[in-house]
Amino acid sequence: MSAAPPAKPLRFAISGMSCAGCVAAVETALREVPGVTDASVNLAERTAQVSGTLQPAALIAAVREAGYDAAELREAGDEQERDRSERARYRRLFRNALAAGTFAAALMLGEMLGAWPGLDTPSGRVFWIGIGLATLAVLRYAGGHFFSGARRQFRHHNANMDTLIALGTGSAWFYSMLVALFPDSVPSLARHAYFEAAVTIIALINLGSALESRARGKASAAIQRLLGLRPKTARLVEGDQERDVPIETLARGALVRVRPGEKIPVDGTVVGGQSTVNEAMLTGEPLSVVKRQGDPVTGGTLNEAGTFVFQANRVGEETVLAQIIASVRQAQNSKPPLGRLADRVAAVFVPSVLIVAVLTALAWFNFGPEPRLGFMLVTTLTVLIIACPCALGLATPISIMVGVGKAAEHGILIRDGEALQRAGQLTAVILDKTGTVTTGRPTVTALKALDGFDENELLRLAAGLEAGSEHPLARAILNAAAERGLTARAPEQFAAIAGQGAGGRVEGRALAVGNRRLLDANGIDGAPLAAEAERLAAAGQTPILVAVDARAAGLIGISDPLKPDSLIAIRRLRDLGLRVALLTGDHAATARAVAAEAGIDTVFAEVAPTAKAEVIAEFQARGERVGMAGDGINDAPALARADVGFAMGAGTDVAIESAGITLVGGSLHGIADAIAISRATVANIRQNLFGAFLYNTLGIPLAAGALYPATGMLLDPMLAGAAMALSSFTVVSNANRLRGFRPKGAPT
């Protein structure tokens, strides 16, 4: 009995996160819940994806215990509500930035014009106390979420970006109020109010977060486009009546009419009428496909000319489009090995910053020049503000979001961040033949019967046996028999022999249909067919030997032409520096002929399905990082064994489940595109991580006053706030450059 498939991961919207430290805290809380096998939090999307034996209520409780909030994302409506919430958050951040910025600008303008009184008179002190109270109101309105977030984290014994901002701006306000209320308690040289610094920092951080939020919206554009492919209603046919209904209400078996120019709402099979359908969403091909009775249709594709009625087979989350969206979301929430470095740093970053801030305060208070209190406040405030690890938390997930979305635009579904990173590291690609390099739609091109048999009898018996097989070559024999009007009887016995063919009984006669190894294994002399088999194989055809009642009866030649774009795609792979090999169970001469036509030098032929994974292992033992592309059940072990498995989109579910990357369109160009996108995405992540680490490595010492002994200059806290906001925006903007990336040589 096969194992039950793993439960679908749950997704949650997480609120209250602001930096890489938040990500680490939420992931830790989720992973400690019993039954959780993996948890991944995406700061860019503000979501969490959790796998295992799960109870949503327990997971939400764990997140809340860590000081954040969570809501399960189950339906499209939940996702849309989250998107609306994000847009509202952007507007709120912008309003906060505008309010704080306007107040700060008024304070700074008055100071520049000398309009404000000093602190050395009673009226001046009253004025600045009033300014302090007004500043407090602005801080509450525009920065209240920072202080409430910090308070929540404190209650849960955590610290994050909110903690740093609240400590920094709060300290500036308290110090300034102390100066305004009790000026004599502060040395004369340190009697300076920092109200404008506090509100300016709040303004800049809100503005940076708003810009970051808007840029993140652009980064997730791929998902939005995919969601936009789903129509909202369907034309339900009920007897003689038709009516428009929400697609959420459609049930399997429902009859749906599609009119010209409409998108097909769900997956199904045409039962009446005919039309042409644009399936570029799936295949990337602009050419329309004729759909007649019995043909499958896919939700999200566009009906063009005619009208037809189809029966819904897959609805809701079962549709191909829904699965594509789920696959993209799952990949966007995953992390490549490269991104885990940031997670390890983030876990200790904020506490380390707090320690550095305390040490900075102590150093300036004990060893700094006068006014020590003033210098201590400025440097400590600047350290707290500049060190916020927002950029570090966004460096990896924002690039993953854009890269995976870009791949989806090219018909490439990447399972997770690990597959995305590994694809760019490949040094060799091994290709299955049938359905991967070739069209996978073979046809019978030759038929030879030995004495005692005629061609029709030979074909009828072979077709009868192959009726029990799902192999593409079997379908070719069945189609050839049907074209000749031959009625094939179902086999009385049938057994598939991996890597050899099939055996059984048809019409009371013992049959063996397959390659020379099958005949040899059954003690049947295949010599009478050897010369013709070699001739067909040398011409690129697959010879299928037929034995009846333990003697050779004839031979069937089957041709499977190259996909039109295989030659160019394989050339692209070589241009990327990859070694390309062909791996097949087919006849050696046939494999060599196909390989020569496709431009492949290395060939492994007559390989049993169980041995395909061994070929992959041999490559890996030589230090190669191997990608394997295939479409059949027999390819699944090799796909799983490879560093990256590429499943052709038209392949079996088993092959797709065994692969790290699925090529929806089934073109080998998808492999080259995936590798190019992987390399561009990983390079982008490295740039972001380098920038984030460099920013903090240089920024914190500067904020602490490292240049003061040599230059007498300190970093202004307001500049620190601007730098912190700019660092996050820069990371997101750099990731968005991937949206314009186009793999070299990709078909137009």
Side-chain angles (χ1 to χ4, degrees):
M1 185 176 176
S2 61
K8 183 180 178 182
L10 300 182
R11 293 181 76 248
F12 297 86
I14 309 295
S15 56
M17 294 196 302
S18 56
C19 66
C22 302
V23 172
V26 175
E27 285 185 346
T28 300
L30 289 170
R31 286 169 180 162
E32 289 177 350
V33 177
V36 171
T37 57
D38 188 39
S40 179
V41 176
N42 188 324
L43 179 61
E45 270 206 319
R46 295 253 194 323
T47 59
Q49 183 169 280
V50 191
S51 303
T53 307
L54 309 169
Q55 293 294 328
L59 297 170
I60 291 171
V63 173
R64 288 174 177 168
E65 183 65 26
Y68 304 89
D69 204 359
E72 188 180 359
L73 298 171
R74 290 176 291 185
E75 302 173 351
D78 297 331
E79 298 283 357
Q80 292 166 2
E81 180 59 34
R82 186 181 70 87
D83 292 339
R84 283 194 293 270
S85 178
E86 277 296 304
R87 289 193 293 272
R89 179 175 177 271
Y90 163 75
R91 292 191 294 269
R92 185 172 63 254
L93 288 169
F94 195 83
R95 286 197 303 269
N96 292 346
L98 184 62
T102 302
F103 186 77
L107 285 181
M108 287 186 285
L109 182 62
E111 190 168 344
M112 289 170 57
L113 297 175
W116 308 139
L119 287 162
D120 52 354
T121 63
S123 62
R125 288 197 296 272
V126 171
F127 173 82
W128 283 106
I129 291 170
I131 291 294
L133 294 174
T135 301
L136 182 62
V138 174
L139 289 177
R140 179 178 174 82
Y141 173 79
H145 54 291
F146 297 123
F147 291 91
S148 59
R151 186 170 61 253
R152 188 167 58 247
Q153 293 303 303
F154 179 77
R155 286 201 307 267
H156 292 86
H157 312 292
N158 291 327
N160 63 3
M161 184 192 87
D162 293 341
T163 306
L164 301 180
I165 294 171
L167 282 175
T169 56
S171 299
W173 185 85
F174 275 110
Y175 180 85
S176 302
M177 282 301 289
L178 177 67
V179 171
L181 289 167
F182 309 104
D184 293 338
S185 65
V186 180
S188 59
L189 292 174
R191 291 174 191 167
H192 183 77
Y194 293 95
F195 295 125
E196 80 284 355
V199 290
T200 300
I201 289 166
I202 292 294
L204 289 169
I205 294 173
N206 273 303
L207 180 61
S209 298
L211 294 174
E212 173 210 312
S213 177
R214 185 170 182 135
R216 281 193 292 107
K218 293 179 180 178
S220 62
I223 283 287
Q224 299 304 320
R225 280 193 291 272
L226 288 172
L227 289 170
L229 293 173
R230 294 197 292 203
K232 292 181 173 56
T233 62
R235 189 75 174 173
L236 181 65
V237 179
E238 297 175 311
D240 297 333
Q241 303 295 316
E242 297 184 7
R243 59 190 177 95
D244 291 330
V245 299
I247 65 167
E248 293 82 8
T249 64
L250 282 181
R252 282 194 294 270
L255 297 179
V256 181
R257 181 177 299 281
V258 185
R259 293 163 293 191
E262 292 182 339
K263 289 178 180 175
I264 297 168
V266 295
D267 301 354
T269 304
V270 177
V271 296
Q274 81 173 49
S275 182
T276 55
V277 175
N278 186 327
E279 295 185 332
M281 176 200 83
L282 295 175
T283 65
E285 297 291 333
L287 297 177
S288 301
V289 180
V290 177
K291 297 292 182 180
R292 300 182 179 88
Q293 187 172 341
D295 289 338
V297 289
T298 304
T301 56
L302 180 66
N303 180 38
E304 292 185 331
T307 182
F308 61 88
V309 175
F310 74 94
Q311 185 178 50
N313 297 335
R314 290 186 288 191
V315 298
E317 298 304 308
E318 301 171 344
T319 65
V320 170
L321 180 59
Q323 292 173 18
I324 289 174
I325 293 171
S327 176
V328 173
R329 280 207 164 107
Q330 179 176 337
Q332 288 184 333
N333 276 274
S334 65
K335 295 179 182 176
L338 180 63
R340 293 168 193 153
L341 171 64
D343 293 346
R344 291 194 294 270
V345 172
V348 297
F349 191 86
V350 174
S352 300
V353 170
L354 292 174
I355 293 171
V356 170
V358 171
L359 294 175
T360 299
L362 291 174
W364 280 96
F365 185 77
N366 289 285
F367 307 109
E370 294 294 342
R372 292 182 180 181
L373 278 175
F375 280 112
M376 180 187 76
L377 176 70
V378 170
T379 53
T380 306
L381 170 61
T382 307
V383 167
L384 290 170
I385 296 302
I386 204 168
C388 293
C390 307
L392 187 63
L394 289 167
T396 298
I398 198 70
S399 296
I400 292 289
M401 280 178 62
V402 182
V404 168
K406 189 70 181 178
E409 291 177 7
H410 287 265
I412 303 163
L413 302 183
I414 299 174
R415 175 175 290 184
D416 52 37
E418 188 164 356
L420 176 64
Q421 180 172 333
R422 284 185 174 181
Q425 300 169 341
L426 297 179
T427 60
V429 174
I430 298 177
L431 307 174
D432 172 52
K433 181 178 76 69
T434 304
T436 302
V437 175
T438 65
T439 63
R441 295 187 291 273
T443 57
V444 172
T445 51
L447 191 59
K448 177 181 175 64
L450 296 181
D451 292 343
F453 299 90
D454 64 46
E455 292 183 354
N456 285 343
E457 181 188 18
L458 185 76
L459 187 59
R460 188 187 75 251
L461 291 171
L465 182 67
E466 296 292 8
S469 174
E470 294 182 353
H471 197 281
L473 299 184
R475 290 199 297 272
I477 293 172
L478 287 165
N479 291 337
E483 288 172 2
R484 293 195 179 199
L486 304 175
T487 303
R489 295 185 183 179
E492 294 118 37
Q493 296 176 4
F494 174 83
I497 299 101
Q500 297 182 14
R505 299 190 71 84
V506 178
E507 299 178 11
R509 310 182 75 174
L511 261 74
V513 180
N515 55 30
R516 180 68 180 269
R517 293 196 305 277
L518 178 64
L519 269 61
D520 292 343
N522 286 275
I524 301 171
D525 182 13
L529 299 171
E532 182 66 11
E534 289 295 331
R535 187 188 69 79
L536 290 174
Q541 300 180 53
T542 300
I544 304 296
L545 281 60
V546 182
V548 180
D549 295 331
R551 75 181 182 94
L555 174 149
I556 301 171
I558 298 177
S559 177
D560 186 12
L562 287 184
K563 291 178 178 177
D565 57 2
S566 286
L567 180 62
I568 298 172
I570 290 167
R571 188 180 301 140
R572 284 184 65 199
L573 291 172
R574 290 201 304 270
D575 290 342
L576 287 168
L578 282 89
R579 179 183 176 190
V580 183
L582 188 70
L583 177 64
T584 179
D586 209 344
H587 191 286
T590 304
R592 286 193 296 270
V594 172
E597 187 180 357
I600 300 173
D601 298 325
T602 306
V603 180
F604 299 89
E606 301 181 16
V607 180
T610 54
K612 287 187 175 183
E614 296 173 9
V615 175
I616 305 292
E618 290 172 5
F619 271 71
Q620 293 169 328
R622 296 197 295 267
E624 300 270 15
R625 294 187 181 94
V626 185
M628 169 70 194
D631 70 329
I633 294 174
N634 61 338
D635 298 319
L639 290 169
R641 182 68 179 84
D643 294 281
V644 180
F646 297 90
M648 313 310 285
T652 66
D653 291 341
V654 175
I656 291 171
E657 286 299 315
S658 302
I661 296 176
T662 299
L663 309 178
V664 178
S667 170
L668 291 179
H669 278 293
I671 301 176
D673 292 343
I675 292 170
I677 290 169
S678 166
R679 292 177 179 178
T681 303
V682 170
N684 195 270
I685 292 172
R686 292 186 190 277
Q687 293 164 6
N688 284 346
L689 287 174
F690 176 79
F693 281 124
L694 183 67
Y695 162 78
N696 286 116
T697 302
L698 296 178
I700 293 175
L702 286 175
L707 295 181
Y708 185 83
T711 65
M713 295 177 60
L714 291 175
L715 186 64
D716 190 292
M718 290 183 286
L719 288 178
M724 193 276 282
L726 184 62
S727 67
S728 300
F729 180 68
T730 301
V731 163
V732 177
S733 298
N734 185 55
N736 270 319
R737 291 193 304 110
L738 286 171
R739 296 174 64 212
F741 176 76
R742 180 171 179 79
K744 185 178 179 181
T748 56

